[in-house]
Amino acid sequence: MKESEGLAPYVRTQQPEGVQVSASRRRGTTDELGPGGPERDGSDLLAALLDGMDAALCAFDAAGVVTHWNREAERILGWSAAEAVGRRGFAGWAVRSADAAEAEAWLKSAMRAAGRQVHEFALLTKDGGRVLVRTQSATVRGPAGEPAGVYCAFGEVHAQIDLERSIALSEALFEDASWGVVLVDVDLRPAVVNAHAARALGTGRAAVLGRPLGDLLAQGVEELEGALTHVLAEGAPPAPAEMWVSVRTAEGDRRRCWRSGFVRLASPLSEEPVPLGVGWLFQDVTEAKQAEQEAALLRFRANQLHRAARAAAECEDPAEAAAVHLDFALAGFADHAVVDRVAGGPAADGPGPVRLVRAAETPSGAPGPSLLTGKAGLPVRYAEGHPALQCVARAGCVRAGAGAVDPGQAREWALARQWPPDAVHALCAVLRSRGRTLGVVTFLRGAGRTRFERADAVYGEDVAVRIAAALDLADLTGTDGRAEGGR
C-alpha cells in the first residue's frame, strides 16, 4: 500500500492549523505526486498536514503494520513516530496483553467494514499508564477495491465528551431553553436566535436574523446596543443587567423588562482572541419587577401617610393640618393639588347646583407649602361638567386628562378648568366627613408623568379622608374663617 494513498481520504477531510515536521515512512510518495515530482517536498507537505491536525492519527497497511504516526498521537501516548512506525498492530507496546485480542479484532473489523467505525478502548502510554480513547477508523481501498489499509483518528475520551457536551449544550440552548438566547454579530445584528427569544421579540426566528435591533425594539435600543458594544470591547459584565424595552408587535408596543447576561464570543482557532460577536441571554422579569415596584410604592405611600398624620397632629389650626396632608401627598404622586370647599356649607346628597370655593392650593410657580385661600368665599368659575363638579355629584373619584394633544391645546385645556397651565392629568377625590360632602381635592400631573391609575385613585381617597376630617374639625372649631352658624 502506498502511504499517500492510504492517507488521502483522511487528509481531505481535515483543516490543518499549523505546520510541523513528522517522522513517517515515505516510500512510494513520488508515485502519488506524479512523475518528476519533488519527492522531499511532497513528503514534507504530507507530514506537515498530518502533524497540523488536532486529532491523533495513525495508519496501518494491509498487514496491520503502522505506517504513519503524527505529533498528536505522540503527545497522547508518549510514543514517538520513530518508535511507532513499523510495528505490527498495537499488541505488545500500545495495549495490555489482556486487551491485545480486542485490539486485533478491532483492526481486522475496521479493514473489512464499509464506512466509518467508532470504538472505545484503553491504550498504553510509553510510561505504562492507560488512556481511554475513542477511535474513528475507516478502511482504505486499493485500485481494484481491495482493502489496502486502515487509517485511525483517535482522541482522549474525556476530551471527546467535553466537546460533545459543548455541542449538546449549544443545541439545547437554541431549542429547549426557557430563556431567550441570541447570538449577535460584531455589527450588532442577530445571527442566531432561539425559539424563546423569537417569541419575546414578537416575530419568527428567521425573520429576526440580520435585522437591526431598532427594527425590533421601539424603546431601549440605545441602552441594549451600548451594552453589546461594551461587551465586545471590554468583555462580559460582572452581573446581569435589567433593561426596560418596548417591543414592536402587531398589537402595538409592549413594554417589558429583560434581565440580561452577556458573554463575548471569540474564535478558538486564532492565535489572538478575535471577537465573533456577543452571546446575549435574557429572561422576562416584567411581572416580578412590576410587583416589586408596586410594593415599594405602597410602602412609600404608607410611610407618607404616617408622617403626614404625625405632622398634622402637631398643628393647632385644623385647616393648617389639612394643608400638611396635602403637601405630604404630593411627594412622588402629583405636581399640583387644589382643595375646593362647597360654598355655604356641606352639600346635601340630593340634586341641585353646587358651587365650589378654592380653599387651598399648591403654588404653581416655585415649589413651596400649600397656600390657604378662599377667605372671601368667592366661588370658582367651573363650567358645567367640570371634573370637580362631577366628583361632588357622584361622591366618588373622577379621572380626567387632556389626551394626546399638542402642548398649546393641553395648556388651553388646563386653563379652561381653572388649573395650572402645565397640568395634563387630573384626579378628583371627594371630601366626605360625618356623612356629608365638604368639597373636592384635585391632584394634577404634568406631561412628564403618566396618567392616574386605579391604584392612584385609592391613594387619593386615603388622602381625601384625612383632609376632610381636618376641614370638618376646622368647621366645628370655627378656625377656618367662617361663622359656625353659616353652615
Side-chain angles (χ1 to χ4, degrees):
M1 179 190 71
K2 296 180 182 179
E3 292 174 8
S4 57
E5 293 175 349
L7 288 170
Y10 186 84
V11 170
R12 285 195 296 267
T13 62
Q14 302 299 310
Q15 298 295 326
E17 288 190 72
V19 176
Q20 295 175 322
V21 178
S22 169
S24 60
R25 300 175 65 186
R26 294 171 178 168
R27 56 182 174 77
T29 308
T30 53
D31 294 338
E32 179 67 20
L33 293 173
E39 177 181 352
R40 181 168 181 80
D41 291 347
S43 61
D44 286 348
L45 174 60
L46 178 59
L49 290 173
L50 297 180
D51 282 342
M53 295 177 182
D54 289 333
L57 176 74
C58 63
F60 303 87
D61 61 14
V65 176
V66 178
T67 60
H68 290 79
W69 189 266
N70 73 347
R71 289 286 179 85
E72 184 65 13
E74 179 180 348
R75 185 194 68 79
I76 294 176
L77 297 179
W79 300 96
S80 67
E83 294 171 316
V85 173
R87 293 179 181 267
R88 182 182 182 84
F90 284 139
W93 64 288
V95 296
R96 295 189 312 169
S97 301
D99 299 330
E102 180 186 355
E104 185 72 18
W106 159 75
L107 187 59
K108 290 180 180 179
S109 66
M111 192 80 69
R112 295 190 302 268
R116 185 179 61 178
Q117 304 294 311
V118 178
H119 298 273
E120 288 185 6
F121 53 85
L123 292 180
L124 283 178
T125 63
K126 187 176 181 179
D127 58 7
R130 298 183 72 201
V131 178
L132 184 62
V133 299
R134 178 175 296 177
T135 66
Q136 299 184 38
S137 56
T139 184
V140 178
R141 303 289 176 179
E146 75 282 3
V150 173
Y151 69 80
C152 170
F154 64 90
E156 298 174 79
V157 167
H158 71 82
Q160 296 286 333
I161 292 176
D162 288 344
L163 176 61
E164 291 177 4
R165 285 198 186 108
S166 298
I167 295 173
L169 174 62
S170 299
E171 292 181 350
L173 285 175
F174 287 106
E175 295 297 335
D176 306 322
S178 59
W179 55 86
V181 182
V182 180
L183 296 189
V184 182
D185 62 22
V186 292
D187 295 324
L188 305 185
R189 295 172 183 258
V192 184
V193 179
N194 75 342
H196 187 96
R199 289 193 298 270
L201 292 169
T203 184
R205 296 179 65 177
V208 178
L209 304 183
R211 294 176 60 185
L213 295 173
D215 291 351
L216 307 171
L217 303 177
Q219 294 180 352
V221 180
E222 295 80 3
E223 183 181 6
L224 177 58
E225 290 184 342
L228 295 172
T229 303
H230 172 81
V231 173
L232 282 173
E234 304 292 338
E242 292 178 352
M243 298 184 178
W244 284 94
V245 300
S246 292
V247 183
R248 289 194 174 98
T249 65
E251 295 78 19
D253 294 348
R254 293 186 300 123
R255 186 159 175 78
R256 313 301 297 169
C257 180
W258 291 340
R259 180 173 292 144
S260 303
F262 304 92
V263 291
R264 181 169 60 179
L265 306 179
S267 173
L269 303 179
S270 59
E271 295 182 2
E272 297 181 359
V274 177
L276 297 179
V278 177
W280 171 31
L281 294 83
F282 67 91
Q283 191 173 26
D284 195 319
V285 293
T286 307
E287 286 74 16
K289 289 299 294 183
Q290 288 176 341
E292 180 182 327
Q293 291 175 351
E294 290 173 1
L297 183 61
L298 287 175
R299 287 195 301 269
F300 173 76
R301 289 179 175 176
N303 187 46
Q304 286 296 99
L305 291 175
H306 174 72
R307 293 174 60 197
R310 295 192 60 179
E314 302 300 324
C315 296
E316 296 182 4
D317 184 356
E320 182 182 351
V324 168
H325 281 292
L326 193 64
D327 291 335
F328 273 92
L330 287 181
F333 182 67
D335 297 316
H336 305 288
V338 296
V339 175
D340 297 322
R341 296 289 307 273
V342 174
D349 292 332
V354 175
R355 295 184 303 167
L356 297 176
V357 176
R358 183 68 47 86
E361 61 183 349
T362 55
S364 58
S370 299
L371 305 175
L372 298 176
T373 61
K375 299 296 183 180
L378 298 177
V380 185
R381 294 179 294 106
Y382 284 154
E384 184 178 355
H386 190 281
L389 298 177
Q390 295 181 30
C391 180
V392 173
R394 299 176 185 177
C397 283
V398 174
R399 286 178 286 172
V405 297
D406 59 69
Q409 292 176 314
R411 180 183 177 86
E412 294 177 1
W413 177 85
L415 293 177
R417 286 156 181 79
Q418 309 299 315
W419 291 333
D422 57 341
V424 295
H425 306 292
L427 170 66
C428 297
V430 66
L431 301 176
R432 297 275 296 178
S433 179
R434 295 190 293 154
R436 302 170 303 163
T437 299
L438 304 183
V440 179
V441 57
T442 302
F443 299 100
L444 302 166
R445 288 178 177 175
R449 294 178 178 264
T450 59
R451 63 188 181 93
F452 289 97
E453 303 292 345
R454 186 177 298 276
D456 298 323
V458 173
Y459 179 64
E461 289 176 341
D462 287 342
V463 176
V465 168
R466 288 162 170 79
I467 294 176
L471 293 179
D472 195 16
L473 180 59
D475 288 346
L476 292 175
T477 59
T479 57
D480 64 342
R482 293 168 44 187
E484 182 72 18
R487 288 184 286 111

